[in-house]
């Protein structure tokens, strides 16, 4: 270290020590700072005392409110919790006298995940319903009251929470012949407890949706909180992500806590008011539950007791025809669209399912045949209906195949990249002269896509497939594993589904057939471009495997059978088509158009004119280039 560096360090140290000494506070400043800190501490302590006093006052007010409720319903705040069962041939519903609402719901005739004869939709703490009335002094919540049962039968029940001076809250239940439960809540002698303009009460409904099927991921995807707008259609919260306190700005007819095949629906006679708050929270795999549902809404309430607040609950399977039938049992005279619990797809897809698939499915299931056979028969019927268009499309491709040598000869002068537009125009003009439409080759995909999407929405929602076995498949409504393991692998899960593998393999084979057919009709650079496209076509079945491995075996089986018959039809058409005779017919068509140009279509005439114009422009461009070279 040299002399200058040492001097520099000494000067820096001197400046730092000097600044520290100069900046230190005086005794007066230190005393003032201590005083300010003391004042701040006193202010903080005073704020904490005020907070504690406010909390104590709030607790005292709550206690006073509770005492007021206790004074009014002193009998109803104490009692014994009892279970009362309402039942018919379809459901068995348990009402608990603590709170006076349902504590258990069993749907008969459908096996549970554990093999039980009936499905328990909810039980105990899985479900809670509370009716809250805001009185002048306090809130009256039915969940805090014990009700006394009267007029009890297998299908009817009256519950009363008695209060002082003849006051009471009365709840009645009446179970219909199927899955509809009629409910009402009525006040007696309570008008003076509420403000003169009080006309509504709060409904709080919570439930945690149980897993009832083998495939957690697939069932969770089709479980959602669904609601029906009074002046609109049905909608639902997200099936996959959390939605908390979602506010619905329209009045609602009903709210349903839905899983894949069963639902609990609460219907209000006087509608649920605007700004209902809805929550759906997905649960973890392995917990035994799918989603946690919450609904907070308001509906009409008459404190005078002149009019009851009426509800209906549907507790049963998500069966399209059954829901239509049960809706007729509603006594509210409203168009409830209950069948919309069974999602049939987007508008055009819903039309296919609503007016074709459902009727065919009902007709075939009426023969009491196995559901796997039903899927095969539906596939055959759809293939028969679409066969004329598929054949027309195939013949269009075959015509392009036999014309390939002529196309190559007619367009060989357009080999430069800048000549590709003229090449396309020349090809289209030649196709038109032979009476061939290249666009017809796209018809099979256009025909099949709406049907595939329609079945994609229909099969997973068809409760008739639930528990139905076929061949090696134990249950057509869920996946059919050939191997399972404990660890969840991203993108695959914890199993391999055999029907999914069959579907993906058949998709690859079908893609090979279609790509080969298209390559046989390609000319020039089109064939090279097709080589790049074929890798995308082969990649799609691999992507489908990751998508469909968790899906129902019934859906994968339908796609496998559909592709099998499509490949069989294509192979049969290829074997029965005589290329020589087809070319002969095309030559006759060409001569007819050549001898009588008026018979050519307007498109053909326009294409020929465009070709001539392009050829003229090309010649002019070549002439200009020649003149420029001569000038140089």
């Amino acid at each position: 270290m040299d002399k200058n560096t040492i001097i520099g360090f000494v000067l820096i140290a001197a400046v730092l020590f000097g600044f520290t000494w100069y900046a230190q506070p005086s005794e007066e400043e230190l005393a003032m700072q201590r005083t300010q800190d003391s004042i701040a501490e006193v202010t903080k302590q005073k704020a904490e005392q005020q907070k504690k006093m406010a909390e104590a006052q709030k607790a005292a007010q709550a206690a006073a409110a509770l005492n007021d409720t206790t004074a009014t319903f002193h009998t109803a705040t104490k009692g014994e919790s009892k279970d009362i069962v309402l039942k018919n041939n379809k459901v068995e519903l348990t009402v608990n006298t603590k709170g006076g609402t349902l504590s258990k719901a069993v749907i008969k005739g459908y096996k549970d995940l554990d093999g039980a004869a009936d499905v328990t939709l909810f039980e105990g703490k899985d479900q809670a319903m509370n009716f809250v009335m805001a009185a002048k002094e306090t809130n009256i919540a039915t969940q805090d009251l014990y009700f006394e049962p009267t007029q009890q039968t297998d299908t009817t029940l009256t519950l009363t929470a008695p209060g002082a001076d003849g006051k009471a809250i009365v709840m009645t239940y009446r179970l219909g012949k199927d899955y509809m439960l009629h409910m009402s809540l009525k006040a007696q002698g309570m008008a003076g407890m509420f403000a003169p303009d009080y006309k509504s009460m709060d409904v709080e409904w919570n439930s945690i949706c149980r897993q009832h099927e083998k495939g957690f991921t697939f069932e969770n995807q089709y479980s959602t909180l669904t609601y029906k707008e009074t002046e609109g259609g049905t909608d639902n919260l997200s099936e996959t992500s959390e939605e908390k306190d979602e506010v619905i700005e329209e009045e609602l007819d009903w709210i349903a806590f839905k899983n894949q095949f069963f639902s609990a629906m609460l219907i209000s006679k006087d509608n649920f008011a605007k700004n209902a708050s809805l929550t759906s929270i997905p649960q973890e795999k392995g917990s035994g539950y799918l989603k946690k549902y919450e609904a907070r809404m308001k509906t009409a309430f008459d404190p005078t007791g002149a009019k009851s607040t009426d509800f209906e609950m549907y507790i049963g399977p998500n069966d399209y025809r059954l829901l239509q039938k049960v809706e007729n049992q509603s006594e509210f005279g409203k168009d409830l669209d209950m069948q919309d619990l069974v999602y049939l797809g987007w508008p055009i897809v819903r039309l296919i399912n609503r007016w074709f698939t459902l009727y065919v499915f009902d007709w075939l299931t009426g023969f009491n045949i196995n559901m796997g056979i039903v899927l095969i028969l539906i596939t055959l019927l759809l293939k028969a209906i679409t066969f004329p268009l598929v054949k027309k499309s195939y013949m269009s491709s075959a015509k392009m195949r036999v014309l390939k040598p002529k196309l190559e000869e007619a367009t060989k002068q357009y080999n430069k990249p800048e000549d590709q537009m003229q090449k396309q125009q020349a090809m289209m003009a030649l196709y038109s002269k032979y009476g061939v439409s290249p666009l017809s080759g796209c018809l099979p995909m256009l025909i099949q896509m709406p049907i595939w999407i329609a079945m994609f929405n229909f099969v997973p929602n068809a409760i008739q497939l639930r528990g139905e076995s076929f061949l090696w498949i134990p249950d057509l409504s869920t996946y059919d594993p050939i191997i399972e393991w404990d660890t969840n692998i991203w993108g695959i899960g914890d199993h391999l589904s055999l029907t999914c593998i069959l579907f993906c393999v058949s998709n690859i084979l079908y893609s090979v057939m279609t790509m080969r057919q298209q390559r046989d009709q390609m000319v020039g650079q089109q064939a090279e471009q097709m080589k790049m496209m074929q890798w995308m076509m082969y990649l799609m079945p691999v992507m489908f495997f990751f998508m469909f491995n968790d899906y129902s075996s019934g859906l994968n089986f339908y796609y496998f059978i559909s592709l099998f018959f499509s490949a069989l039809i294509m192979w049969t058409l290829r074997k029965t088509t005589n290329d020589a005779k087809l070319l002969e017919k095309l030559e006759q068509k060409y001569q007819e158009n050549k001898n009588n140009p008026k018979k050519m279509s307007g498109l053909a005439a326009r294409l020929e004119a465009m070709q001539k114009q392009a050829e003229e422009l090309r010649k002019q461009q070549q002439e200009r280039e020649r003149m420029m070279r001569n000038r140089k």
Side-chain angles (χ1 to χ4, degrees):
M1 186 178 295
D2 59 13
K3 179 179 178 181
N4 292 332
T5 302
I6 295 172
I7 294 173
F9 276 119
V10 170
L11 290 176
I12 291 172
V15 169
L16 290 174
F17 282 116
F19 178 78
T20 303
W21 175 83
Y22 178 77
Q24 67 181 353
S26 64
E27 289 297 327
E28 292 80 2
E29 290 174 333
L30 289 173
M32 184 178 295
Q33 182 64 40
R34 285 193 291 270
T35 302
Q36 290 177 348
D37 291 342
S38 178
I39 293 172
E41 182 65 24
V42 171
T43 303
K44 181 179 179 181
Q45 292 177 358
K46 187 176 181 180
E48 290 178 353
Q49 290 176 355
Q50 290 176 346
K51 182 179 179 181
K52 290 179 180 179
M53 290 176 63
E55 291 176 351
Q57 184 178 4
K58 185 177 180 181
Q61 291 175 350
L66 181 60
N67 290 334
D68 182 75
T69 303
T70 304
T72 303
F73 290 96
H74 62 282
T75 304
T77 54
K78 297 179 181 180
E80 183 180 357
S81 177
K82 297 180 181 179
D83 287 333
I84 302 173
V85 177
L86 302 176
K87 60 184 178 180
N88 57 22
N89 294 329
K90 303 295 184 181
V91 293
E92 185 175 294
L93 308 177
T94 302
V95 181
N96 193 277
T97 55
K98 175 66 185 299
T101 55
L102 295 179
S103 60
K104 183 178 180 181
V106 176
I107 302 172
K108 299 180 181 180
Y110 295 90
K111 287 187 178 181
D112 202 353
L113 177 62
D114 299 326
D118 303 316
V119 168
T120 300
L121 192 61
F122 56 78
E123 182 178 14
K125 295 182 180 179
D126 289 354
Q127 198 265 172
M129 188 176 293
N130 184 29
F131 302 99
V132 182
M133 292 143 277
K136 293 178 182 178
E137 302 297 333
T138 185
N139 289 340
I140 301 171
T142 57
Q143 67 181 5
D144 299 327
L145 305 178
Y146 289 86
F147 288 78
E148 298 176 357
T150 59
Q151 301 178 13
Q152 178 184 347
T153 69
D154 283 346
T155 57
T156 62
L157 174 64
T158 300
L159 296 173
T160 304
D165 302 324
K167 297 179 176 64
I169 297 174
V170 181
M171 299 182 68
T172 61
Y173 292 91
R174 178 167 49 87
L175 182 60
K177 62 180 181 179
D178 288 323
Y179 301 93
M180 188 73 84
L181 177 66
H182 306 272
M183 308 162 47
S184 71
L185 184 148
K186 190 174 184 179
Q188 290 182 355
M190 297 172 58
M193 298 180 63
F194 300 90
D197 60 347
Y198 185 74
K199 296 181 180 179
S200 65
M201 69 174 178
D202 293 284
V203 182
E204 300 173 351
W205 186 22
N206 304 325
S207 184
I208 185 164
C209 180
R210 288 187 174 188
Q211 180 181 350
H212 295 294
E213 314 304 325
K214 183 177 181 179
F216 172 86
T217 304
F218 189 62
E219 185 182 6
N220 204 13
Q221 184 175 336
Y222 286 88
S223 301
T224 177
L225 194 157
T226 307
Y227 55 89
K228 163 69 167 59
E229 295 179 358
T230 303
E231 299 297 332
T234 57
D235 204 348
N236 58 267
L237 301 187
S238 173
E239 298 90 343
T240 55
S241 59
E242 177 178 320
E243 288 198 53
K244 197 169 184 178
D245 299 325
E246 182 74 15
V247 176
I248 310 302
E249 297 180 352
E250 304 296 329
E251 290 189 1
L252 304 178
D253 281 332
W254 52 259
I255 294 170
F257 293 168
K258 172 182 178 293
N259 68 1
Q260 185 179 5
F261 292 124
F262 305 98
S263 292
M265 175 192 293
L266 182 63
I267 308 165
S268 174
K269 180 178 181 179
D270 298 306
N271 306 337
F272 293 116
K274 296 179 179 180
N275 300 320
S277 177
L278 306 179
T279 295
S280 175
I281 303 174
Q283 303 299 292
E284 293 293 330
K285 185 176 182 179
S287 65
Y289 296 96
L290 302 171
K291 289 184 173 70
K292 182 180 180 181
Y293 295 136
E294 296 178 3
R296 302 286 181 272
M297 52 275 190
K298 292 180 180 291
T299 192
F301 173 68
D302 183 5
T304 68
K307 181 183 177 183
S308 61
T309 302
D310 296 326
F311 302 95
E312 291 173 337
M313 283 195 76
Y314 172 80
I315 299 174
N318 301 330
D319 185 322
Y320 193 93
R321 297 301 188 195
L322 175 63
L323 286 162
Q324 287 181 318
K325 176 184 175 182
V326 173
E327 182 173 333
N328 295 328
Q329 301 174 18
S330 173
E331 298 173 355
F332 295 163
K334 303 167 72 173
D335 187 7
L336 296 174
D337 292 331
M338 291 174 60
Q339 71 276 2
D340 285 355
L341 273 180
V342 182
Y343 181 68
L344 296 180
W346 304 329
I348 186 170
V349 174
R350 183 163 58 246
L351 288 174
I352 296 173
N353 282 327
R354 174 66 181 85
W355 300 108
F356 175 78
T357 312
L358 270 170
Y359 283 99
V360 173
F361 192 77
D362 292 342
W363 174 60
L364 292 174
T365 53
F367 293 105
N368 294 320
I369 55 180
N370 185 276
M371 286 299 161
I373 302 297
V374 169
L375 291 175
I376 294 174
L377 293 176
I378 288 177
T379 307
L380 289 172
L381 180 60
L382 290 171
K383 294 301 178 185
I385 293 172
T386 58
F387 178 75
L389 292 175
V390 171
K391 182 178 180 181
K392 182 178 180 181
S393 173
Y394 174 82
M395 294 308 298
S396 176
S397 299
K399 291 174 183 178
M400 294 169 66
R401 181 180 68 248
V402 299
L403 287 175
K404 181 178 178 179
K406 294 183 177 295
L407 286 170
E408 290 177 339
E409 179 65 24
T411 59
K412 62 182 181 181
Q413 69 270 30
Y414 304 113
N415 289 327
K416 297 180 181 179
E418 60 270 18
D419 294 338
Q420 292 307 303
M421 180 63 71
Q422 289 120 328
K423 185 173 185 176
Q424 290 292 331
Q425 292 174 351
M427 289 171 58
M428 293 298 293
L430 191 61
Y431 280 141
S432 296
K433 291 177 181 178
Y434 280 96
V436 177
S437 175
L439 298 178
S440 299
C442 302
L443 278 177
M445 184 61 68
L446 295 177
I447 295 168
Q448 292 186 58
M449 282 305 295
I451 296 173
W452 274 47
I453 297 173
M455 296 301 290
F456 177 84
N457 288 283
F458 179 80
V459 173
N461 289 298
I463 193 172
Q464 292 83 354
L465 299 179
R466 185 179 186 269
E468 289 290 322
S469 62
F470 180 66
L471 298 178
W472 70 89
I473 306 170
D475 187 349
L476 286 166
S477 69
T478 187
Y479 60 83
D480 56 322
I482 55 172
I483 185 173
E484 294 182 275
W485 52 86
D486 296 331
T487 305
N488 188 67
I489 300 177
W490 183 87
I492 298 178
D494 56 5
H495 65 275
L496 290 177
S497 175
L498 179 56
T499 51
C500 179
I501 295 173
L502 290 174
F503 160 48
C504 294
V505 171
S506 62
N507 202 351
I508 292 174
L509 296 177
Y510 183 71
S511 297
V512 171
M513 292 182 65
T514 54
M515 295 296 290
R516 181 178 298 173
Q517 177 180 321
Q518 293 177 13
R519 188 170 58 248
D520 289 344
Q521 66 193 40
M522 295 298 175
V523 178
Q525 293 185 353
Q526 290 180 337
E528 296 298 323
Q529 294 172 357
M530 181 59 65
K531 292 180 181 179
M532 299 177 63
M533 283 187 60
Q534 69 183 5
W535 292 109
M536 296 179 61
M537 297 295 293
Y538 298 151
L539 185 62
M540 285 183 64
V542 178
M543 296 173 60
F544 282 154
F545 170 77
F546 293 103
M547 291 173 57
F548 286 83
N549 191 45
D550 271 322
Y551 272 57
S552 72
S553 54
L555 182 64
N556 282 319
F557 180 73
Y558 165 77
Y559 284 156
F560 164 65
I561 293 297
S562 179
L563 285 168
F564 172 79
F565 283 119
S566 294
L568 182 62
I569 290 170
M570 185 181 297
W571 180 83
T572 304
L573 290 172
R574 182 69 179 90
K575 290 297 181 180
T576 56
T577 301
N578 189 314
D579 288 358
K581 290 184 177 180
L582 181 60
L583 181 59
E584 184 180 345
K585 290 181 179 180
L586 291 174
E587 291 291 354
Q588 292 177 359
K589 184 70 174 178
Y590 177 81
Q591 291 299 325
E592 290 176 5
N593 290 333
K594 184 177 180 181
N595 297 330
N596 188 7
K598 293 182 179 181
K599 291 184 64 177
M600 294 180 64
S601 65
L603 176 62
R606 288 194 296 272
L607 287 172
E608 187 173 7
M610 290 173 61
Q611 183 184 11
K612 290 180 179 179
Q613 185 179 6
E615 182 66 21
E616 183 65 27
L617 290 173
R618 187 177 68 84
K619 290 181 179 180
Q620 293 177 3
Q621 179 66 26
Q622 290 177 347
E623 181 65 21
R624 284 194 294 269
E625 290 175 357
R626 186 184 63 79
M627 293 177 64
M628 291 293 293
R629 287 195 298 269
N630 292 337
R631 289 178 182 178
K632 292 179 180 180

